[in-house]
Amino acid sequence: MASTYKPANSPSRVLLSHHKEAIDFSLSHLWQSQLSTWITLAAIAIALSLPASLYLLLQNLKTLTDDKREVPTISLFIKQSITEQQARDRGELLQELSEIDKVIMVPKSEALEDFRNITGFAETLETLDENPLPHVLVVTPHMDLFGEPELDMTKLARKLEGYPEIDLVQMDIEWVQRLRGILRIAERAVMLISLLLGLTVLLVIGNTIKLNVESRKEEIDVAKLIGATSSYIRRPFIYSGIWYGLFGGVLSLVIVHLALYSLVPAVEELARLYGSSFQIGGLGFKMTLYILLASSLLGIIGAWIAVGRHLRSTTLP
Amino acid sequence: MIEFKAVSKQYPTGQLALYNVNLSMQQGEMAFLTGHSGAGKSTLLKLIALLDSPSDGIVTIAGQNTQSINKRKIPAFRRNIGVIFQDHHLLKDRNVFDNIALPLKIEGMRPHDIKRRVRAALDKVDLLKKEKEYPQMLSAGEKQRVGIARAVVNKPSIILADEPTGNLDPDLALDIMHTFKQFNEYGSTVLIASHDHALIKDMKKRIIVLRKVKR
């Protein structure tokens, strides 16, 4: 049909103005019903902060297991009959082995000094006539030489045990290995929980948008009647979904970080007691971005489903 | 401009709303559609506005068979048809200006042009002073005129009205009819469903009578 009216705007400008209108409208709509907006945002934020904080917990436990300071080392306790110089020579020989990255010699005098400083047993130590501690060689293996780190570590340990100067070989990695095993399972669990809670967010947003759609049913019908396209009608709701997801995501990050910072002093105290320089880590830029992206995406999908259902079912006056 | 060929419409409930309707309207024509209630006046208007499709026969608007219009193109098609209902269907949460501006916003017109066009439409229905008011503050006649302004603001080539004066007293009704006549004089094809025989006789325009379907 030949219209007497021709839009003066180019299609891209029209689209731009439609988007601007939809953004303005959806934001003002959120603002108008503040109470319900906050309730919805809180529900989304709580649902999101649970997997985020679990992820954070895992991440921190992981840094504990692959931290360079905590790289599996092997402590070689030298027999009491061996002199410091002999132990030092053995250390230098070990250094030549291809499996070994570095060997640190801790002479018994130094070990005693450390022991005194760390544990507060100073007074007890004073009562001893002689130093009961052995010389120790701390061996750091070349991790990149290993295919199966756990297997090869054991092999290396056996080899080291064969040297005559060595009394005892102790690997510091067993607890790390066990923790890693547990973390692998926990990671799966967090993934599953994230999936379920992501679905919750989807449902919360979908339901909220569905209620929005229903309360504006009349408006939608009128808009359809005067020639609004489905995407025009859908757009403000999609933006509402984005805002719910995005702001819910931001709120969840706030919750997670508040919880995190309330834990920092306690964790630092604990780490100090263990003589570790472990520091609790935050979510980081990338993860923050992922969470916000994912929550916005959930908003879009939820809104799309909610409006789509309505667009199909509408009967015009 | 508008042509019906052997058009029938039966609703899924089994109710036969139209049976074998033949009708033709020229571009720029103005006509009244009348008949008993239940004769299918509203159904006929809905078929023109693409709010419904015929179960039988062919409806041709501006040379195009409505059945063959791509679903995605229906909204654009509808923008060329202004529809006015007895129940005005104004949005309660927007003022008069924003209600009338809606079709222009959908077309993506610039704010400056929207302002100009809305004012022009308001001027034509004599409501310039009420642009900031909300629908519930208006009288029945004013609401109807806002509905008309919204239907004509984007200068559609066809204007359809379903009982536009149903709720109004005779003076107001005549006033509204003259407004429609004016739009017809600007070039729009106008079809008004009404059962107010006295009123439409006075208008001295073509009258199309729908007879109730006999079974």
Side-chain angles (χ1 to χ4, degrees), chain A residues 1-10 13-15 17-18 21 25 29 32 216 218-230 232 316-317, chain B residues 1 46 51 61-62 64 75-81 83 85 89-94 102-103 105-110 113 117 150 154-155 157-158:
Chain A
M1 178 176 353
S3 169
T4 49
Y5 167 70
K6 294 271 183 297
N9 266 345
S10 68
R13 282 190 82 120
V14 169
L15 200 64
S17 78
H18 280 170
E21 192 194 334
F25 192 85
H29 193 79
Q32 273 162 21
R216 281 161 59 192
E218 195 190 351
E219 184 178 346
I220 292 172
D221 286 343
V222 169
K224 268 190 171 177
L225 186 70
I226 56 184
T229 57
S230 293
Y232 179 87
L316 283 154
Chain B
M1 195 66 176
K46 278 185 185 171
L51 295 173
I61 312 286
Q64 222 180 342
F77 194 92
R78 235 177 240 156
R79 279 176 222 154
N80 281 303
I81 303 172
V83 187
F85 294 92
H89 286 294
L90 297 178
L91 302 179
K92 293 180 211 81
D93 59 345
R94 299 192 194 192
L102 204 58
K105 278 193 179 160
I106 289 171
E107 289 195 43
M109 209 185 255
R110 291 194 183 92
D113 296 328
R117 291 286 283 273
R150 187 183 62 195
N154 60 345
K155 299 184 182 166
S157 19
I158 297 175

Side-chain angles (χ1 to χ4, degrees), chain A residues 114-267:
Chain A
D114 282 352
F115 194 58
R116 192 172 280 150
N117 289 339
I118 294 169
T119 55
F121 276 114
E123 282 172 29
T124 323
L125 289 171
E126 295 304 328
T127 63
L128 294 172
D129 303 336
E130 66 179 72
N131 184 354
L133 298 173
H135 300 298
V136 177
L137 292 172
V138 180
V139 172
T140 309
H142 257 307
M143 286 310 284
D144 44 344
L145 279 180
F146 297 103
E148 274 291 315
E150 287 144 42
L151 209 72
D152 292 317
M153 284 288 277
T154 326
K155 227 162 89 189
L156 180 64
R158 261 195 224 116
K159 185 174 172 184
L160 295 172
E161 243 165 359
Y163 292 106
E165 298 90 344
I166 290 164
D167 189 19
L168 184 74
V169 175
Q170 189 185 311
M171 286 195 287
D172 295 345
I173 57 160
E174 271 162 16
W175 70 274
V176 172
Q177 285 169 353
R178 283 184 199 138
L179 188 56
R180 274 199 195 136
I182 294 168
L183 286 183
R184 266 197 291 275
I185 297 169
E187 221 164 36
R188 289 264 168 84
V190 168
M191 202 112 93
L192 205 69
I193 291 171
S194 305
L195 214 68
L196 287 175
L197 288 169
L199 201 65
T200 308
V201 171
L202 194 75
L203 291 176
V204 168
I205 293 178
N207 194 50
T208 306
I209 302 286
K210 193 178 140 243
L211 292 176
N212 278 352
V213 168
E214 264 159 27
S215 71
R216 281 161 59 192
K217 193 173 172 356
E218 195 190 351
E219 184 178 346
I220 292 172
D221 286 343
V222 169
K224 268 190 171 177
L225 186 70
I226 56 184
T229 57
S230 293
S231 40
Y232 179 87
I233 292 168
R234 195 184 283 125
R235 211 170 279 125
F237 293 109
I238 299 291
Y239 273 109
S240 293
I242 295 178
W243 305 139
Y244 279 126
L246 187 66
F247 297 153
V250 170
L251 202 60
S252 79
L253 290 174
V254 171
I255 292 173
V256 168
H257 279 97
L258 281 180
L260 192 67
Y261 288 119
S262 73
L263 283 178
V264 163
V267 170

Side-chain angles (χ1 to χ4, degrees), chain B residues 57 104 111 115 139 141-142 144 187 192:
Chain B
L104 302 178
K115 215 172 251 180
S139 70
E142 285 169 337
Q144 195 54 278
I192 301 168

